[in-house]
Amino acid sequence: MADPATYRPAPGEIPDSPGVYRFRDEHGRVIYVGKAKSLRQRLSSYFQDLSGLHPRTQQMVTTAASVQWTVVGTEVEALALEYSWIKEFDPRFNVKYRDDKSYPYLAVTMADEFPRVQVMRGAKRKGTRYFGPYAHAWAIRETVDLLLRVFPVRTCSAGVFKRAHQQGRPCLLGYIDKCSAPCVGRITPDDHHQLAQDFCDFMAGDTAKFTRRLTQRMKAAAAELDYEQAARLRDDIVTLERATERNAVVLADGTDADIFALAGDELEAAVQVFHVRDGRIRGQRGWVVEKVEDIDDATLVEHLLQQVYGAEEENAAVPREVLVPTLPPDVDQVQVWLGGLRGSRVQVRVPQRGDKRELAATVHRNAEHALVLHRTRRAGDLTTRSQALREIQEALDLSTAPLRIECYDVSHNQGTYQSASMVVFEDGMARKSEYRLFTVRGPEGQGARDDTAAMHEVITRRFRRYLAERSDSRDVELGLGDEEDDPRRSGPIDEATGKPVRFAYPPNLVVVDGGPPQVAAAAAALAELGIDDVALCGLAKRLEEVWLPGEAYPVILQRSSEGLYLLQRLRDEAHRFAITAHRRRRSKGMTASVLDDVPGLGPARRAALLRHFGSVKRLRAASAEEIATVQGMGERTAQAVVAALATTAGSAQQVAVTDEPAGTRVDAPDAPDAQGDVRDEVPEAGPPGTAATGREPHPLGRPAVTEEPGPAGMLGP
């Protein structure tokens, strides 16, 4: 625990002007970001007598080891910079708005050559128009199914689109007139893009012009005695009216507004927002906030608006009115900032009377219900996590609670395809963005001799990277470098990618999956690197015993202990992550292709051939001259390909799962990094039914490549 007096700025150093400040811990990690009208007054308030500070503020200032600030010209600049730093550094003492669930959006990929309409969740992508959020994905699909009759925009995936293009015939939607079939050239890219734009305009609330347009066309068709066309247009008008009626009109004046409400106490709060567009409730969204800093409702509203609108890719997402329960402290500056995002004036106010106040009361009731539901589902969650960390601290005799815990596990199949995982828990919760995978090489590149050697290698590699990156970035971390350095680089930054270097932060506790042998191997690795300030333990599976280095007897935690439950969650998550990596490597390593043995044909050329022809079947039907036209291919190699495919003609069993149609991502083999270690990566998380290599899912929902589990006992720990 640090004394704030050790890093308090000298009198007169802090400017009396607007700016953004950040507190960092002893490892240079940003733990809190704030803004102020006067940096001098705000920062001075943190360095008063500790007894006068809020308990959470006390914890923050005693965890920090330094403070830095950046002066800006206006309070609006400070507002924007504060949000960008919170988003980049994810400080643990700042309020974080977590969705109470992942709400689906209706998305239109306008940046694509042929825009696609689909359901999307998660982070927003640049160049995509979003509508919603919606409470249920089926509501989006029903709406889209209705509108495709009038706006037949593409809805298929990239793989389905490419296969249809190669085969020269559209999918079922193209035959039933619910897709304009751009895959086979029935519509030009420009016309299809305009069709997608009309779809977006309708979803944005501009519905009347489409109804008028169809009505005029219907009357014209009837006047020309084309009654079949007039009947179709009549049905289209009915379809648009049905889609419009799905959203009840709640405000008669065509209001565009977002209505926010708060309900909570000193520890947490529930936030709800209703998105009202053209007088209709277009969507609802909710968050649950843990108040990890001393904050009132007004400041909470300000942070909420920052994170809701600062993350929007489309400026149109900011409505004309933002109705809040309490005005933020700097409401004028917030309105200027939101107006800059929207491109026109935005009003932030508290509804006082009429329909808007009644609707705000409805939103507040939803917030209260969400808070009750959250507490029911996660009763005592904050207390439980704190209790678990405290029990681990006491059981292992640690000086402080282990706020960052890393757990390691090794998985293999009788010594082959050895993989290891590193999972990270911070404040008792999984930090999946910092998970890492390791491919175990061994001293000769053939894998480690056993689990203890594999564990020694993984711990060595992880902490060797930590020492190297800490040394490279020490000046940047502690602010001892050139004063003209980029002020945003308040933590170790990878110069190649511009992203924070994750391995530069050490854990408070390392947990290995195993008993005394694995613990001894990890302890030896730490000792060889000279690391003596990281606690270590192992969790044995059979009796759930906690082993410490050099101890003859284990530490026994009660079966009902929250600390043991947290360690078990860590161990199980590490095991799951390692098994996933092992199975992926095994699946890739056990596949073969008829093209593998062709002389002079490497991975890049194989991928180029499959992209060009779409499949091995089409490649087998091609001549040597056609194959030679592919970039990178020569006549001799083309003839070798034809000869190899001719020898396997009629033997379908020799065509392996790696012979994928065009559009399949070909994974590169594991490559060493700058320090000679294999890449430590976070795997991609695909949708259910998607193969780990990025293949398109089966049209019926089954995985493209099925994997049967091996016999019991085949996988390592």
Side-chain angles (χ1 to χ4, degrees), residues 221-239:
E224 296 175 1
L225 305 183
D226 189 356
Y227 298 115
E228 292 183 359
Q229 177 67 12
R232 283 194 293 268
L233 292 171
R234 177 203 60 198
D235 294 341
D236 289 347
I237 295 172
V238 173
T239 297

Side-chain angles (χ1 to χ4, degrees), residues 144-227:
V144 171
D145 187 62
L146 285 173
L147 294 180
L148 286 181
R149 178 185 175 92
V150 183
F151 307 103
V153 187
R154 167 198 165 206
T155 58
C156 61
S157 64
V160 173
F161 185 90
K162 194 159 192 175
R163 282 195 293 272
H165 175 69
Q166 292 171 343
Q167 296 169 357
R169 62 175 184 269
C171 62
L172 176 62
L173 292 179
Y175 283 110
I176 63 176
D177 295 330
K178 285 195 172 182
C179 178
S180 54
C183 54
V184 294
R186 289 185 183 174
I187 187 173
T188 65
D190 291 340
D191 290 342
H192 186 269
H193 200 279
Q194 182 58 47
L195 191 64
Q197 184 62 52
D198 290 343
F199 180 91
C200 292
D201 292 344
F202 181 86
M203 290 301 301
D206 191 4
T207 60
K209 72 175 183 181
F210 296 103
T211 303
R212 289 195 301 268
R213 182 189 304 172
L214 292 177
T215 302
Q216 292 172 359
R217 291 175 55 191
M218 179 185 67
K219 292 179 179 179
E224 296 175 1
L225 305 183
D226 189 356
Y227 298 115

Side-chain angles (χ1 to χ4, degrees), residues 11-83:
E13 286 186 350
I14 308 176
D16 187 17
S17 56
V20 182
Y21 57 91
R22 56 202 182 277
F23 284 86
R24 300 181 300 174
D25 62 14
E26 59 182 347
H27 303 293
R29 191 169 198 172
V30 177
I31 62 173
Y32 184 75
V33 173
K35 66 172 180 62
K37 292 181 180 179
S38 170
L39 287 170
R40 180 179 301 171
Q41 295 180 13
R42 177 62 59 82
L43 288 178
S44 297
S45 66
Y46 289 103
F47 296 100
Q48 57 179 291
D49 186 4
L50 288 177
S51 61
L53 297 176
H54 190 279
R56 288 186 286 272
T57 307
Q58 288 182 19
Q59 185 181 5
M60 188 273 291
V61 297
T62 54
T63 303
S66 63
V67 61
Q68 287 185 335
W69 56 85
T70 300
V71 176
V72 296
T74 65
E75 296 172 31
V76 177
E77 293 179 20
L79 190 71
L81 183 58
E82 180 192 30
Y83 169 73

